[in-house]
């Protein structure tokens, strides 16, 4: 285990810099309320209080520091009280925004589910969550309307099938992204399943890493399509083959979006599979020890990496934490294809097929989850996967069963051959449940899909549309072809209404970059379909052969983007 640092600055004669709360430099006193709460009690300790006290005495018995802080360590956030408009999001006190119900996030590392697990989530959704179930863009499933009295039974049900909500939220190592096709894709560089499990077992629920400066997001994959979006994770291990023909991982650190987006940087090392857990643990420990804790908005590892640079980060990792040098390694090959979502029917390396399908903007319900489990049981081996694009995949379908499973999924409105708009539109939770949101997202995105399918039925180019309810970019607006950031805007009548600031031409992969913001480019929610249909039609009419939307945006006249 990587032990906590107890270091002092290398040069004692220099003037002590302003403290950023970096433990390794001796700044151990809490510099804000969040750090004080974590020092007072580890978030992992709230579990027993939920079981022994809060679930028995009810919502009003919950300590505010637990309610709005430590309960996140077990995947629990209070939802937004109904009827509070977006204009009050930043004005009201937390207790005024809090409902007496919770969002509960079930962590699904690597996106891997079996039938018992999927059915357990479905039952919990129906029994305790009013049927709600959303697949997130980090492969989790979120439930809503959860009462504190129900939480111990929910945990028992989840843990009985090998699932957990431990550190699904909070200042912790959150869910580990993995390719849903790990072990079955004929073109994968390597199968990362064992490494994901080892990383999970090392850090999740481990008190050594349960007080990080802020959340920490990991990805680990050998997928040739780079489906785990390594460019925007805190740490990512990407499958590569070195000059000796050995499969291993390239390591990226410091990616993240929100209000200060940054792309991850390569460390340039080659990590063998058996070294992954050590390297991952070292990166987490660097964040714990050197991460900035003074200002909450700078408490992500991307700021440390940006200030240090990848060379210094690598040096500290190797010399202080791993105690060994890592060999240099190659960069990953460019992603296979222009879509990274695994939707459709594709052959596995064993001759069977996997079938990826698209729930609309990730929104499902308990009954639909049961239907998916039943379909997977009839036609596959029972292995189901979630993706980072709010989609799902059923594995191990025999060739003679493909037509049948496609028909059943399509009949359930789980489209295997969706339009571009259904396939590549994502939306965050939005004002329906989220206390940070300013506008509604799920219904707006769903309606947008319907309208674009009606207006542009023949459009077939790859095009990502990401809809976010606030500036925090849970739906990755800056790296979308069309990124929509929720805010209040003024309509033609001078009234303040829900709307979106527009980012255009963001992308990941070969030419990764953030979307272009055109001065004053906003739209009301009502006018959103008109705007998107217009700009997509302009692209469709002007694009050169093989030209992506992001490339077109860089050369397009501003008039064609409005």
């Amino acid at each position: 285990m990587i032990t906590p640092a107890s270091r002092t600055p290398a040069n004692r004669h220099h003037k002590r810099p302003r403290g950023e709360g970096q433990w390794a430099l001796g700044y151990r006193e809490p510099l804000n309320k969040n750090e004080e709460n974590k020092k007072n009690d580890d978030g992992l300790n709230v579990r027993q209080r939920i079981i022994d006290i809060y679930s028995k005495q009810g919502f009003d018995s919950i300590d505010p520091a637990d309610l709005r802080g430590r309960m996140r360590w077990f995947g629990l956030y209070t939802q937004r009280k109904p009827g509070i408009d977006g204009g009050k999001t930043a004005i009201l006190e937390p207790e005024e925004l809090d409902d007496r119900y919770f969002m509960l996030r079930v962590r699904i590392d690597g996106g891997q589910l079996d039938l018992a697990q999927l059915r357990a989530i479905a039952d919990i959704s129906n029994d305790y969550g009013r049927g709600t179930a959303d697949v997130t863009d980090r492969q989790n499933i979120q439930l809503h309307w959860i009462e504190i009295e129900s939480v111990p039974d929910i945990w028992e049900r989840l843990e009985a099938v090998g699932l957990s909500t431990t550190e699904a939220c909070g200042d912790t190592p959150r869910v580990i992204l993995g390719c849903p096709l790990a072990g079955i894709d004929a073109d994968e560089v390597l199968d990362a399943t064992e490494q994901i499990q080892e990383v999970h077992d090392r850090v999740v629920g481990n008190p050594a890493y349960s007080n990080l400066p802020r959340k920490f997001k990991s990805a680990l994959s050998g997928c040739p399509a780079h489906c785990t979006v390594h460019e925007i994770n805190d740490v990512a291990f990407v499958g590569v083959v070195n000059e000796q023909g050995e499969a291993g991982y390239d390591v990226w650190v410091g990616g993240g979006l929100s209000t200060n987006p940054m792309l991850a940087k390569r460390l340039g090392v080659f990590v063998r599979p058996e070294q992954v857990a050590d390297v991952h643990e070292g990166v987490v420990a660097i964040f714990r020890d050197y991460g900035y804790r003074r200002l909450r908005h700078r408490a992500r590892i991307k700021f440390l990496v940006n200030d240090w640079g990848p060379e210094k980060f690598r040096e500290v990792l190797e010399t202080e934490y791993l105690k060994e040098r890592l060999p240099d390694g190659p960069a990953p090959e460019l992603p296979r294809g222009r879509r990274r979502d695994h939707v459709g029917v594709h052959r596995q390396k064993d001759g069977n097929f996997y079938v990826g399908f698209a729930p609309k903007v990730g929104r499902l319900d308990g009954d639909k989850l049961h239907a998916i489990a039943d379909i997977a049981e009839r036609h596959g081996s029972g292995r189901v996967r979630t993706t980072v694009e709010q989609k799902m995949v059923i594995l191990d379908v025999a060739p003679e069963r493909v037509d049948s499973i496609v028909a059943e999924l399509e009949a359930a409105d789980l489209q295997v051959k969706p339009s571009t708009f259904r396939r590549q539109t994502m939306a965050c939770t939005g004002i329906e449940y989220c206390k940070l949101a300013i506008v509604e997202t799920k219904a707006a995105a769903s309606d947008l899909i319907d309208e674009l399918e009606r207006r542009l039925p023949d459009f077939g180019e790859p095009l990502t549309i990401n809809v976010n309810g606030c500036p925090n970019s849970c739906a990755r607006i800056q790296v979308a072809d069309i990124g929509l950031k929720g805010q209040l805007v003024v309509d033609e009548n001078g009234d303040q209404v829900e709307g979106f600031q527009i980012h255009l031409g963001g992308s990941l992969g070969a030419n990764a970059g953030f979307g272009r913001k055109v001065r004053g480019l906003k739209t009301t929610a009502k006018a959103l379909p008109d705007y998107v249909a217009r700009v997509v039609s302009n692209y469709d009419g002007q694009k050169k052969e093989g030209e992506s939307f992001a490339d077109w945006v860089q050369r397009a006249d501003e008039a064609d983007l409005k």
Side-chain angles (χ1 to χ4, degrees):
M1 179 186 298
I2 305 295
T3 56
S6 57
R7 303 172 184 83
T8 57
N11 191 334
R12 297 175 184 270
H13 301 291
H14 284 184
K15 182 179 179 181
R16 189 176 178 88
R18 183 181 186 186
E20 291 287 351
Q22 294 167 281
W23 288 1
L25 301 184
Y27 299 101
R28 299 293 298 222
E29 284 304 307
L31 297 175
N32 58 55
K33 187 66 174 178
N34 286 286
E35 289 300 310
E36 182 180 329
N37 286 341
K38 289 186 289 182
K39 182 179 181 181
N40 290 341
D41 190 33
D42 194 309
L44 293 175
N45 294 333
V46 78
R47 176 186 170 102
Q48 207 58 44
R49 290 195 289 276
I50 292 172
I51 294 171
D52 294 340
I53 303 172
Y54 304 148
S55 67
K56 295 177 180 177
Q57 298 182 16
F59 186 88
D60 292 331
S61 70
I62 304 174
D63 185 308
D66 286 345
L67 181 66
R68 301 180 191 95
R70 301 182 192 101
M71 290 177 76
R72 298 175 185 179
W73 271 242
F74 287 90
L76 288 159
Y77 282 92
T78 48
Q79 14 185 101
R80 186 188 191 93
K81 189 178 295 181
I84 300 176
D85 66 63
K88 297 179 180 177
T89 295
I91 298 173
L92 297 179
E93 295 297 322
E95 58 269 21
E96 296 177 282
L97 286 166
D98 285 332
D99 202 355
R100 298 173 69 86
Y101 298 94
F102 293 87
M103 178 275 287
L104 179 66
R105 182 178 296 156
V106 182
R107 66 178 297 153
I108 305 171
D109 293 277
Q112 300 189 17
L113 289 168
D114 60 31
L115 295 184
Q117 292 171 332
L118 187 56
R119 286 175 172 143
I121 297 172
D123 285 337
I124 292 167
S125 168
N126 285 336
D127 293 346
Y128 295 124
R130 301 188 186 181
T132 56
D134 289 339
V135 181
T136 75
D137 62 1
R138 292 198 64 81
Q139 297 182 286
N140 299 308
I141 293 180
Q142 290 182 177
L143 311 176
H144 297 280
W145 300 108
I146 301 299
E147 296 177 298
I148 193 63
E149 292 84 352
S150 308
V151 171
D153 184 58
I154 291 172
W155 283 342
E156 286 186 13
R157 294 192 193 190
L158 290 173
E159 290 161 12
V161 294
L163 291 174
S164 169
T165 69
T166 302
E167 296 182 342
C169 312
D171 297 350
T172 65
R174 298 194 184 183
V175 69
I176 305 156
L177 298 187
C179 176
L181 310 183
I184 71 165
D185 187 343
D187 297 323
E188 71 180 354
V189 178
L190 73 174
D191 177 0
T193 303
E194 289 187 14
Q195 286 83 62
I196 290 174
Q197 187 62 53
E198 187 175 1
V199 165
H200 174 278
D201 293 346
R202 287 270 197 104
V203 301
V204 177
N206 183 344
Y209 308 113
S210 59
N211 181 357
L212 302 179
R214 274 193 80 180
K215 57 190 172 184
F216 186 84
K217 299 180 177 182
S218 306
L220 184 53
S221 173
C223 174
H226 297 177
C227 70
T228 56
V229 290
H230 59 274
E231 302 97 327
I232 52 173
N233 278 273
D234 293 296
V235 64
F237 294 77
V238 187
V240 294
V241 178
N242 66 15
E243 292 181 353
Q244 291 72 43
E246 181 182 7
Y249 296 95
D250 188 38
V251 181
W252 297 56
V253 294
L257 298 178
S258 192
T259 54
N260 289 282
M262 299 182 194
L263 294 174
K265 298 176 175 62
R266 291 186 61 234
L267 294 186
V269 298
F270 180 79
V271 176
R272 294 179 174 84
E274 63 271 17
Q275 297 174 301
V276 166
D278 285 340
V279 174
H280 180 273
E281 193 174 2
V283 174
V284 176
I286 288 176
F287 181 42
R288 177 197 62 200
D289 298 338
Y290 285 100
Y292 304 148
R293 294 175 183 260
R294 183 171 65 88
L295 300 175
R296 187 76 174 164
H297 70 272
R298 277 178 51 84
R300 294 292 299 275
I301 197 173
K302 63 186 178 183
F303 293 100
L304 180 67
V305 173
N306 188 61
D307 290 347
W308 277 9
E311 296 83 7
K312 178 177 178 179
F313 194 98
R314 175 178 176 176
E315 179 185 1
V316 172
L317 174 65
E318 292 175 333
T319 59
E320 296 189 25
Y321 291 84
L322 299 178
K323 309 298 185 184
E324 66 172 330
R325 294 288 181 183
L326 297 170
D328 293 342
E333 294 185 2
L334 294 178
R336 178 189 65 190
R338 290 169 61 189
R339 290 185 171 106
R340 299 162 77 165
D341 57 10
H342 304 308
V343 171
V345 178
H346 304 276
R347 186 179 293 275
Q348 301 177 181
K349 63 184 179 183
D350 63 1
N352 290 319
F353 289 81
Y354 68 87
V355 180
F357 55 92
K360 192 179 284 187
V361 294
R363 177 134 287 179
L364 292 163
D365 56 47
D367 290 343
K368 195 66 67 78
L369 291 178
H370 269 303
I372 293 167
D374 292 343
I375 292 170
E377 185 172 36
R378 281 193 292 273
H379 301 288
S381 67
R383 296 197 295 170
V384 180
R385 301 290 183 260
T386 55
T387 83
V388 303
E389 305 293 332
Q390 300 180 336
K391 309 298 185 290
M392 296 185 74
V393 182
I394 293 174
L395 307 184
D396 309 321
V397 179
E400 65 272 16
R401 306 296 299 176
V402 168
D403 290 344
S404 298
I405 192 173
V406 169
E408 285 198 40
L409 288 168
E410 294 279 348
D413 195 29
L414 300 167
Q415 295 183 12
V416 178
K417 303 174 184 178
S419 69
T420 285
F421 306 117
R422 171 90 172 238
R423 180 172 181 171
Q424 295 193 272
T425 298
M426 294 198 310
C428 73
T429 299
I431 202 170
E432 182 179 11
Y433 299 117
C434 179
K435 293 179 295 182
L436 300 177
I438 301 168
V439 304
E440 198 283 325
T441 55
K442 289 287 189 182
S446 182
D447 292 344
L448 176 63
I449 291 168
D450 292 342
E451 194 62 22
L452 292 174
E453 288 177 341
R454 185 182 68 81
R455 298 190 193 189
L456 302 170
D458 298 323
F459 183 81
E461 293 294 318
L463 183 83
T464 53
I465 303 175
N466 294 10
V467 186
N468 216 78
C470 76
N472 289 316
S473 199
C474 294
R476 312 199 300 248
I477 52 174
Q478 296 99 330
V479 293
D481 287 312
I482 301 176
L484 302 167
K485 182 176 77 175
Q487 61 180 222
L488 298 180
V489 300
V490 177
D491 68 8
E492 67 274 10
N493 299 317
D495 297 323
Q496 195 174 61
V497 298
E498 291 190 358
F500 299 93
Q501 182 188 67
I502 298 163
H503 298 242
L504 295 174
S507 63
L508 297 174
N511 298 304
F514 302 128
R516 174 180 176 184
K517 287 188 284 187
V518 177
R519 183 181 297 275
L521 186 53
K522 302 176 183 178
T523 180
T524 65
K526 181 180 179 181
L528 180 61
D530 290 337
Y531 169 75
V532 176
R534 182 168 63 251
V535 74
V536 172
S537 294
N538 290 341
Y539 160 64
D540 204 31
Q542 298 177 17
K543 69 178 186 296
K544 301 175 183 177
E545 184 175 354
E547 185 176 34
S548 69
F549 183 87
D551 289 340
W552 170 77
V553 164
Q554 296 307 312
R555 68 172 181 84
D557 292 335
E558 282 198 6
D560 292 323
L561 303 178
K562 294 183 176 181

